[in-house]
Every structure is written in structure tokens, then in C-alpha cells.
Amino acid sequence: MSRPWQPLTIAFLSGVAMAGAIAPLNLWILGWLALAPLWLILRQPHRQVSRRSKILAGTAWAVGYNGVTIAWILDLHPLTWLGIPWLGSVAITLFGWGFIVFWSILRLLTWACLTGWLFGWSGMPKETPGAILRRVLGAIALWCAVEVAWSYTPLDWTPLAFTQSPGNLWVLHLGQLSGPQTISAVLVAVNLLLAEGWRQRSQLRRRFWASAVAIAAIAHLLGLWLYLQPVTSAPDSELRIGIIQGNIPTRIKLFDEGVRRSLEAYTQGYLTLADQGADAILTPEGSFPWFWVNTSRMDDHPFYQALLERNVPAWVGTLGRAEKGGVAQSLFSFGRSGEIVGRYDKAKLVPLGEYLPLESLISRVLPRLSTSAGSLQPGASNQVVETPFGRAIAAICYDSAFPYIFRNQAATGGEFIITASNNDPFNAAMMQQHHAHDVMRAIETQRFAVRATNTGFSGVVDPHGHTLWKSGFRTYETHLATINRLQSQTPYVRWGNLLTPILVAIALLWKLRAKLTADNG
């Protein structure tokens, strides 16, 4: 790598290859290979690849991976329907894409810097296999730790485990053990061992490559064993859930045409599904994006009148009053007589779209890209959602990217997953990725998942990640799905993500032991 542009180019292309592992391409095999080139660059002696070049290479990899993966964010343009000029719309959209990519660069560089600081990038010319494995273990542990830390920030969409969904169902079942970081740890281990094998001479090369193959094989065999485990349910646990995909473009939702179409689409869809024998009916996020629940307008609402007539429970996406004041994006659970038996408020709000970070400062230069009157208020991450059939695991749109929201509700008795999303104005690639997140959540919690979206893709996923039904793209549809309520608890649901702190502890203790041995030797 004698020329400065070579590490940058290789890193960027390997990041793009990693993006190819993610839906809609689903070339999941690339997830086992596409981190290795970056590791090789980072492991070069500083005299061959400078620290600056390594930082730039990490940046290039993150741009290639995340920039391509979330390119659908550019579909926000045009925003002229919000009163934003055309050039302003372009600038805001590019800023949104750029900031998300910047946040992912920060995640990658945090991992790289911590790994270099704690375990070093370039060792002695003749490093022992033990020293190499210590560095690899440290990098795996830190990768998982950084992923966990980023999952508690406002922006997260692309953990490494995401590259395996929905194509590699066997390996996705490892998420039942300790969440998605179990899968990420295996992927990082295989990538790094392949890279280390490339750096070594023949005998050690074979050992490292054999270790990488063995880890991948064991991961798939263990995943297959989990995949083959039967899912048992009680005889009376069956539910028939109706799904309505309204296909009402966001740009018209609050105008007369949008209000009319929403009332017609969801009311007629409810009546159709009720007549087909649905036990309950699910509508998307923001089906009725105005205040009407628990107001004087409620009794005159056509959907609510239909509910009182048919007496079929419903989960309705609409706006609600937040507990601490303000507005929440809510999913109300209505009982057979129209009473409200439960509620879920969206926990993870979309920056710029649903609230402005540092609003008093940012609002001077950037508008909030939303149809609601003010910034929304987030719900708690440990909500309990009651339904006429017991507790459910509920989520709204962006929540799907945050596994602990689902895990917390499963641990407190949630028996099935219902998610409500908008997904407009984004393209089919975003919808495929959103579906892939819900596939992971269904497997991790071992629950059926029912998805209602505005423009696609609505769907039904079983506890082993099979997609039983998926809607069309930007179509109006109704569908009646049969699922089961489940009460089993996977190790992840029972104990959470224990793997990450265990890996970090082992890596640091091994590092400390090696240092003490060297000091005493």
C-alpha cells in the first residue's frame, strides 16, 4: 500500500460490499468477508500506513457501508409540500443523509481508536498467536460494546448483525441467546481471523483460516439447532389479526383529500376485516394524524362508530396527549365496547422528523420535517401494553431498530408483536430493511410479529423469522393473518445482553494478565 489513495479506495469498496449484504440485495455472505480488508489496513505498521490514513480508511469504510445502506433517506426530497423551497429541500435532505453517515463514522472510529489504544494496532514483527488472538478478542468485545452504546443514542440502523436479515435465518437465531450482538460478535470474529490469516505465513495462515471457518460453521450449526426447535403454544392461543395498509401519502394527510381518504380507507378496511372474522384489527402509524381520542370528536369519528357497531377490538395509530404534556405518536388499544384498554407511545423519535435536537438553537436554521404542530414527546422504553387478549409487544416505526424495546416488553409478559409504521415517502429498499429489523425482533423474542404500514411493506413474521405474508409496494390492502400468543422466554428475553460485558471483561483481564506477565518477565 505504497500509494495514499489505495487504503482509502479499498476501505470504501469493502464498506460498499458490506452494504450489499443488507436488504434489498441480501447478499448476506458479504457480511462474513467485507470487514476483513479494513482490518488489514488498520493492522499495517504506521510506517506503511500512517495514523491519518487509517482514520481516513475507517471513515471511507463507514461512508461506503452506511452511506449506501441509508441512501433511501434522500427520498425525503422534495419537501415543497411543507412550504420549503426546492433548493432548501435539497440542502435539508443532504444534511440529513450526511449527519446520519457522520454518526456512523463516529461509531466506527470510536471502535478503531479504542481498539488501538487498548490493544495496539501494530505489534512486534514476530507476534505470538496469543498476542494476535488477544487483539482480535479485544476488537470483538469493543465492537459489541460500541454497538450497544450507539443503540441508546437517537440514531442507529445498521448494526453488523443486520447484514444477515432476513436471508440467513439460521445465524439470526443466535440473537435468541444474547441479542443481535451475538451475531455481530461472530461476524467480527470471522472477518478478523480471515484477515489475520492473510497476514501470516503458511502454517499460521492455515490455523487462522481454519479457526474462522470453524467459528462460522459452529455458528450456523448452533443457529440451525435453535431454528429447528419447535414453538409450542396453548390450544386457545390463536388470534386472527386484520391488517390495513392505507396507502395515504404523508404530503396530503392533513389536507382535506388526505383526511377523507384516511377515514374511508381505514373505516372500510375495518368493516371488511370484521366481517371476515378478525379478532382484532391493526392500523399503521398516524392513520389519523389529529387529536380525536378522548375528545368531544371521538363519538362522531367514523372508525370509532364502526368499532362500536362491530365490537371487534382495534389497535389504532394516531396522535395522543403525552403524560408529561405535549404530543405523542401513539398506538391505542381499543376493547370490544370502544373502551381504551392500553396504549403505546413511540419511544424512539426521528430527529428532524419528529423533534429537533437542541430545538431552541437548531430551529433558527432548520425546520422540523413533520405534519404535527409541535415536537413529539417520546414514550418510555419499558412500557407495558395491555390488549383484550393479554399483553402485547408494541412498537411504532423507528422503534424496530432498537431490540431492547421489544425485549423489555417480552420480559414483562408480551405474547405477540404488533408494529405500526408509516414508511412514506421512502422507497422499497427502506421498506425491505424495516421488514428485516422486525424479522430480527421476532426471532430474538420468539414471537409472531404483525406489521401494519401506510405504504409498505406490511407483513406477518413467525417466531423463526419466516415471512408468512408481505404486502405490495404503495398499495391499499387488507389482510387477515392467523398467529398464536406465546409465553416462552428466550435467554435474551430472560437475561438480556450478557455476552457483551462478558467479552469485555475477558478481553481486559487477558490484556492485564499479559501486561503483568511482561512486566514481571
Side-chain angles (χ1 to χ4, degrees):
M1 297 186 184
S2 57
R3 299 181 182 181
W5 55 266
Q6 286 182 328
L8 202 66
T9 303
I10 293 171
F12 175 74
L13 292 177
S14 62
V16 172
M18 188 65 81
I22 290 177
L25 293 182
N26 292 314
L27 303 175
W28 56 264
I29 189 66
L30 294 175
W32 301 84
L33 306 169
L35 184 61
L38 176 63
W39 183 260
L40 284 171
I41 293 168
L42 297 175
R43 287 283 277 123
Q44 293 297 311
H46 293 320
R47 66 179 180 276
Q48 296 182 21
V49 179
S50 67
R51 287 186 175 88
R52 178 176 177 273
S53 293
K54 291 180 180 181
I55 291 173
L56 290 175
T59 300
W61 191 92
V63 170
Y65 176 42
N66 296 277
V68 172
T69 299
I70 57 97
W72 45 261
I73 203 75
L74 300 176
D75 286 346
L76 282 172
H77 175 75
L79 295 165
T80 50
W81 63 276
L82 283 173
I84 298 171
W86 192 89
L87 286 177
S89 172
V90 171
I92 290 169
T93 302
L94 289 175
F95 172 81
W97 177 84
F99 189 83
I100 296 170
V101 173
F102 164 77
W103 199 245
S104 67
I105 292 170
L106 194 59
R107 179 177 65 181
L108 192 283
L109 293 183
T110 298
W111 166 73
C113 291
L114 285 174
T115 301
W117 175 53
L118 290 172
F119 299 95
W121 281 119
S122 302
M124 301 296 292
K126 294 184 178 180
E127 274 191 304
T128 64
I132 295 172
L133 290 176
R134 186 165 59 245
R135 181 183 293 106
V136 167
L137 177 61
I140 295 167
L142 289 171
W143 186 284
C144 293
V146 171
E147 277 197 351
V148 170
W150 248 247
S151 73
Y152 285 92
T153 69
L155 291 173
D156 195 35
W157 189 259
T158 54
L160 205 60
F162 192 38
T163 62
Q164 303 302 292
S165 185
N168 192 351
L169 293 182
W170 292 5
V171 161
L172 287 179
H173 276 70
L174 298 181
Q176 294 182 351
L177 302 178
S178 198
Q181 275 65 54
T182 318
I183 305 161
S184 292
V186 172
L187 291 169
V188 175
V190 171
N191 273 278
L192 270 51
L193 288 171
L194 289 174
E196 289 294 343
W198 186 271
R199 299 181 70 251
Q200 305 302 320
R201 294 183 177 179
S202 59
Q203 186 174 3
L204 277 179
R205 174 175 295 179
R206 287 194 295 270
R207 289 183 185 178
F208 281 116
W209 283 357
S211 298
V213 172
I215 290 173
I218 292 170
H220 281 83
L221 289 173
L222 178 56
L224 174 60
W225 180 77
L226 293 168
Y227 174 83
L228 293 175
Q229 298 306 302
V231 177
T232 58
S233 58
D236 60 347
S237 67
E238 189 173 280
L239 279 180
R240 291 166 297 175
I241 297 180
I243 303 166
I244 308 173
Q245 180 169 293
N247 195 31
I248 315 295
T250 302
R251 65 181 182 275
I252 69 168
K253 271 191 174 182
L254 287 183
F255 301 101
D256 290 342
E257 181 188 358
V259 171
R260 177 186 60 78
R261 285 177 56 178
S262 295
L263 293 173
E264 289 179 358
Y266 294 112
T267 303
Q268 186 56 51
Y270 175 90
L271 292 171
T272 298
L273 290 165
D275 291 342
Q276 290 176 358
D279 295 315
I281 295 166
L282 175 65
T283 77
E285 172 189 25
S287 301
F288 308 112
W290 59 85
F291 287 113
W292 61 278
V293 179
N294 288 331
T295 72
S296 58
R297 304 168 63 185
M298 185 165 166
D299 289 338
D300 295 328
H301 196 285
F303 186 95
Y304 188 68
Q305 290 177 338
L307 194 155
L308 295 178
E309 177 186 335
R310 292 294 198 275
N311 302 122
V312 176
W315 301 295
V316 183
T318 187
L319 295 182
R321 297 290 183 187
E323 288 186 6
K324 298 180 180 180
V327 185
Q329 192 72 265
S330 302
L331 188 66
F332 283 93
S333 177
F334 288 94
R336 292 178 178 84
S337 302
E339 74 281 14
I340 298 172
V341 298
R343 171 181 171 178
Y344 176 81
D345 291 341
K346 188 174 185 177
K348 283 291 185 176
L349 302 177
V350 179
L352 297 186
E354 294 173 321
Y355 78 102
L356 284 178
L358 304 174
E359 184 166 8
S360 60
L361 176 65
I362 294 179
S363 61
R364 299 175 184 176
V365 293
L366 280 177
R368 190 174 47 79
L369 312 179
S370 175
T371 55
S372 57
S375 287
L376 301 181
Q377 301 299 313
S381 62
N382 59 347
Q383 299 173 63
V384 174
V385 182
E386 302 290 351
T387 78
F389 316 100
R391 287 185 179 175
I393 302 166
I396 298 177
C397 200
Y398 188 38
D399 290 335
S400 292
F402 300 88
Y404 55 84
I405 293 175
F406 293 72
R407 182 256 163 190
N408 291 343
Q409 294 184 68
T412 54
E415 297 178 326
F416 56 97
I417 297 171
I418 49 174
T419 65
S421 304
N422 181 18
N423 289 355
D424 183 67
F426 303 114
N427 60 34
M430 180 273 181
M431 297 175 188
Q432 295 278 26
Q433 291 177 18
H434 199 175
H435 182 79
H437 273 299
D438 279 354
V439 167
M440 295 176 70
R441 307 294 86 86
I443 294 173
E444 291 158 6
T445 58
Q446 203 173 73
R447 296 292 188 270
F448 281 90
V450 180
R451 313 182 65 241
T453 72
N454 177 18
T455 52
F457 296 112
S458 302
V460 182
V461 181
D462 76 8
H464 283 307
H466 301 112
T467 299
L468 305 179
W469 173 78
K470 190 161 68 173
S471 72
F473 174 59
R474 292 179 181 167
T475 55
Y476 174 78
E477 297 190 40
T478 62
H479 179 77
L480 187 60
T482 300
I483 68 167
N484 291 92
R485 293 178 288 119
L486 301 173
Q487 297 178 340
S488 58
Q489 290 195 341
T490 64
Y492 174 59
V493 169
R494 190 180 300 272
W495 297 302
N497 178 10
L498 291 178
L499 178 66
T500 298
I502 289 173
L503 286 176
V504 171
I506 293 173
L508 292 178
L509 287 173
W510 194 0
K511 170 68 176 177
L512 179 61
R513 180 177 179 275
K515 180 175 172 47
L516 292 175
T517 301
D519 290 343
N520 294 331

